Amino acid sequence: MNKLIITVLGKDRPGIIAQVTTDLFDLDCNLENVNQMILQNQFAGFFIVEAPEGLSPENIQAELSKRNNGNGLTIHVQRLGKDAAGPGDAPGGEIFLITTIGPDQKGLVARFSSIIASHNANIVNLKAVFKGGSDPNANVMSYQVDVTGDVDTQKLFTALREKAEELALDIRIQHRNIFDAINKI
């Protein structure tokens, strides 16, 4: 197995994904997962690939960097361990969606993520937009949290609700299945 994670960072512009995936295709890499986002005007992309045996992370990084020389992208290639999940592998527990809205304050993500970590739950996805001020629709955090069977969900959710109340935030906690069912209606 020669599974790699490739991180691409740089100022956003049209064509970054097309260029990187074309370069990976040219190198005979099989793309397994892609996740990309734009934060303000910055591109961040994560590509999981299965590379041909004999093609090292260093060789791929050198080739990608050479092909993208001068266009402002920072590329990092790292081998994944043997315990890397395969395509479509699910996290170990149940996924809950936790959303807060309310006035912006420093340390919101640190406070909520610390509570989640202290209950041994894992954040698998986080999106946060803070435009500042007290407009509740301008400041939103949305967590997807993997909660395994050994986590006391009532204590976790109570701690999150208490922190939200302390910070004057509205909080919504839903199991992903309920969220999905509601949004299909």
Side-chain angles (χ1 to χ4, degrees), residues 41-112:
N41 67 349
Q42 298 298 306
F43 174 92
F46 306 94
F47 304 80
I48 303 290
V49 301
E50 180 75 32
E53 292 298 329
L55 193 56
S56 73
E58 295 80 14
N59 290 341
I60 292 175
Q61 183 164 335
E63 184 63 29
L64 293 176
S65 295
K66 184 175 82 178
R67 290 175 181 219
N68 290 283
N69 186 24
N71 63 14
L73 296 178
T74 301
I75 299 172
H76 180 74
V77 180
Q78 180 177 336
R79 186 179 311 275
L80 289 177
K82 292 183 180 191
D83 60 344
D89 287 355
E94 297 182 68
I95 300 296
F96 287 85
L97 305 176
I98 301 167
T99 304
T100 69
I101 61 172
D104 189 18
Q105 302 167 57
K106 286 184 179 178
L108 289 176
V109 173
R111 292 174 184 169
F112 280 88

Side-chain angles (χ1 to χ4, degrees), residues 32-177:
E32 292 188 354
N33 295 100
V34 177
N35 196 344
Q36 71 83 204
M37 66 188 81
I38 308 298
L39 296 174
Q40 298 190 10
N41 67 349
Q42 298 298 306
F43 174 92
F46 306 94
F47 304 80
I48 303 290
V49 301
E50 180 75 32
E53 292 298 329
L55 193 56
S56 73
E58 295 80 14
N59 290 341
I60 292 175
Q61 183 164 335
E63 184 63 29
L64 293 176
S65 295
K66 184 175 82 178
R67 290 175 181 219
N68 290 283
N69 186 24
N71 63 14
L73 296 178
T74 301
I75 299 172
H76 180 74
V77 180
Q78 180 177 336
R79 186 179 311 275
L80 289 177
K82 292 183 180 191
D83 60 344
D89 287 355
E94 297 182 68
I95 300 296
F96 287 85
L97 305 176
I98 301 167
T99 304
T100 69
I101 61 172
D104 189 18
Q105 302 167 57
K106 286 184 179 178
L108 289 176
V109 173
R111 292 174 184 169
F112 280 88
S113 61
S114 295
I115 292 170
I116 293 166
S118 71
H119 287 79
N120 204 29
N122 189 33
I123 298 169
V124 294
N125 195 0
L126 165 63
K127 291 183 180 177
V129 175
F130 303 110
K131 295 181 179 175
S134 59
D135 177 3
N137 296 321
N139 307 297
V140 179
M141 295 188 294
S142 180
Y143 297 83
Q144 290 184 22
V145 179
D146 180 20
V147 179
T148 57
D150 61 338
V151 174
D152 185 332
T153 54
Q154 291 310 309
K155 285 185 179 178
L156 169 63
F157 297 159
T158 297
L160 291 168
R161 287 186 178 105
E162 288 174 355
K163 183 57 71 179
E165 184 176 339
E166 174 189 321
L167 299 171
L169 300 175
D170 289 329
I171 187 168
R172 182 176 305 151
I173 301 172
Q174 291 180 302
H175 191 282
R176 182 171 61 189
N177 293 345

